[in-house]
Amino acid sequence: MTGPQTIYSVERRFGLKKIEKGELLFHEGAVCSYVPFLKDGKLKVFLLTENGREVLLYSLLPNQMCVLAMLCAYSKEDYPAYSCAEEDSLLVPIPTDVALDWFDRESWWRHLFMRVLSEKVLSVMSLLNGMLSRNVESRLIDYLISHSRNGFIINKRHEDIAREIGSVRVVVSRTLKRLEQDGLVELGKQSVIIRNLEALKRRAENAP
């Protein structure tokens, strides 16, 4: 089995599971009874620290498996993070015994796993590098610039932004307020509008 025909066969065999936005798939310490293969939507995998901070490890996009669930199935370890739907999503719940059997026998599954694993490991390394070497304001400005859409508007809550840059809501809110006072952004109820993109870029370049 390879390509689209493979995915169609997998979907027909195991069916589709609908996950609503915000719904939790796995929590820390959970036993993975299946490996999610995302058909449509977006999932996120994050850590919850002891002080309540959520740190986004990676996002799961269509035609990707949750590599962390696959690793837990292979090692027989409990799930070490949290995963939930970032938007309404459809996934194929592949039983762990099937996923492990495919890893031994099906090259298309191994290739998919290695490709997604490589992407996510590199993403986590980039996240760690940013968290260790740069301050919150620099990470926040980079996030705002890279996520601005439709006239430089970012439709995100402060807690969501904090989670994705590895900070906490109160620190992000305070930093955004400082940027607003300096005329760089304008804050809405659940949005951030970039008012001076060039000045924001210069601020990021000059940050320690």
Side-chain angles (χ1 to χ4, degrees), residues 32-148:
C32 297
S33 60
Y34 66 92
V35 174
F37 176 85
L38 191 61
K39 171 71 173 179
D40 188 39
K42 188 176 183 181
L43 306 180
K44 58 184 177 182
V45 178
F46 60 94
L47 291 175
L48 187 63
T49 65
E50 291 185 0
N51 61 5
R53 188 173 76 179
E54 294 182 3
V55 179
L56 181 70
L57 293 178
Y58 62 83
S59 294
L60 195 66
L61 304 176
N63 297 319
Q64 293 183 341
M65 69 176 76
C66 179
V67 292
L68 193 53
M70 185 66 188
L71 289 170
C72 290
Y74 196 83
S75 64
K76 299 187 180 351
E77 297 287 343
D78 295 338
Y79 202 76
Y82 294 81
S83 60
C84 70
E86 193 165 358
E87 56 189 58
D88 291 345
S89 304
L90 290 173
L91 60 84
V92 181
I94 301 172
T96 53
D97 57 341
V98 174
L100 292 175
D101 182 59
W102 283 354
F103 190 80
D104 288 335
R105 297 191 300 107
E106 301 289 349
S107 60
W108 69 272
W109 183 252
R110 287 195 300 275
H111 292 161
L112 175 63
F113 172 74
M114 292 306 299
R115 178 174 61 80
V116 179
L117 177 63
S118 300
E119 292 175 2
K120 303 315 177 189
V121 168
L122 292 173
S123 175
V124 170
M125 289 180 66
S126 177
L127 170 68
L128 289 174
N129 181 61
M131 290 177 64
L132 294 172
S133 63
R134 308 178 61 198
N135 62 29
V136 172
E137 183 173 287
S138 296
R139 301 202 308 269
L140 177 58
I141 290 174
D142 277 357
Y143 179 92
L144 295 178
I145 293 172
S146 63
H147 286 75
S148 61

Side-chain angles (χ1 to χ4, degrees), residues 137 140-141 144 174-186 200 203:
E137 183 173 287
L140 177 58
I141 290 174
L144 295 178
R174 188 185 306 131
T175 307
L176 283 170
K177 191 64 178 178
R178 187 165 60 244
L179 294 177
E180 183 179 46
Q181 292 171 344
D182 292 341
L184 302 178
V185 303
E186 178 182 337
L200 201 61
R203 178 102 160 218

